[in-house]
Amino acid sequence: MALVPNWSAGAAVVDDPTVDAATKATFQRLADAVFTDRTDALVNGAGKKRATSGFTGDVKMSTSQNREESSALTELRGRKTRLAKLGEKYSAGSTRVTLEATRVTGRTAKADVVESTTLTYAKVKGTEPKTTGFQAHHELTFKADRQGNWQLTDVQDTDNGYIAVNQVAKQPAAVKASPAPADDSPPEAARSATTWPASANAKNMTAKGYDYKAMVAYATKYWSNYNKDYPDFNGAGAGGDCTNFVSQSLKAGGWKHVPGDGTDFHKWFGNSEIQSDSFVGVNEFSWFALSSKRVTSLANVYQLDIGDVLQMDFNKDGEKDHSMIVTYRSPQGVPYVTYHSTNTYNRSVQSLVASYPNAAFYAYRT
């Protein structure tokens, strides 16, 4: 049930309305309802009453935003069906939204919220992950009429790069890679198939001397609580923290620095003060990893194993947009990835394939 702001219903408002504590609490509850509905669409599909339907009167969703959310829920129900065909279902979901800041300008209020969602995998066998989860940041816009009634008119996802499993926002624009040296062209990564199941390509966990379990432990520890020994590349103009996080995880498992010119894709290094382009850039990482022979391309994404890296090109424009590290592989052969921007742990590759059927995937054996 929505909290009611401290205004008399129907009373005319001459001055611009203020947003008191009760109204902020209602903004938060409506935001929670919006993202709870999206999570429910993945878990329960159609038929369940929408949580947002309980908001009327002084704080509610606008007609146009209600249509937007209805469209989003339809897309997510379709995603649920595609996932089921791949053998993945969720038995439960939990969403919690916290309000970080509210900015009021005239009759417009902008609310910054953090969504924390956990999904429980159905039919967990053996040591498979029981849950997957993420944190996502959003900006909600509310507009007030002359009577002081607020309507939610827009929802924007503000994380850099990749979107979460219950989001259906437009694909982020690709971040263009830095130009490579003219006399040394960067290597092209081979696209990986997404057909299930994949032919076996067993990983030798000792051949290269890396500690893949340490990579997984690092990613698990810092997927949401960032390591303060490294800069955070989220935020306006920063391009996202996904590759920085993958590089940190690989470093924790034994990848050594290659010092030198940070703009040269043959170099790779990162610490609290300085990072090479290949340490933090999606495309530059691929160029370094392939040219140094620290990775080889895999023919199919379902051949990925722990410590391997998966990249995606959302719109197939030739520029890779996102990097992830594999933190689990099920006995059935399904890899699970963990990443930053949006902070996510143990998301199945099946979920990625079902959510982005038109994306290009690049799988690397480390």
Side-chain angles (χ1 to χ4, degrees), residues 4 55 76 81-82 129 138 159 167 169 184 190 249 264 269 280 282 294 297 308 322 336 345 353 357-358 362 366:
V4 179
F55 289 81
L76 289 168
T81 300
R82 293 192 297 273
H138 313 279
D159 289 306
Q167 292 174 266
D184 190 7
S249 301
D264 181 355
F269 53 86
V280 300
V282 182
R294 289 194 181 181
S297 293
D308 290 339
H322 187 56
Y336 293 74
Y345 70 94
V353 172
N358 297 319
Y362 299 85
T366 61

Side-chain angles (χ1 to χ4, degrees), residues 39 51 54 73 79 82 87 96 98 132 137 155 164 176 189 205 234 289 335 341 354 361:
T39 301
L73 296 180
R79 187 175 299 174
R82 293 192 297 273
R96 177 175 55 85
T98 56
T132 180
H137 299 79
V155 177
K176 299 301 181 183
M205 296 293 179
N234 289 313
S341 312
F361 290 77

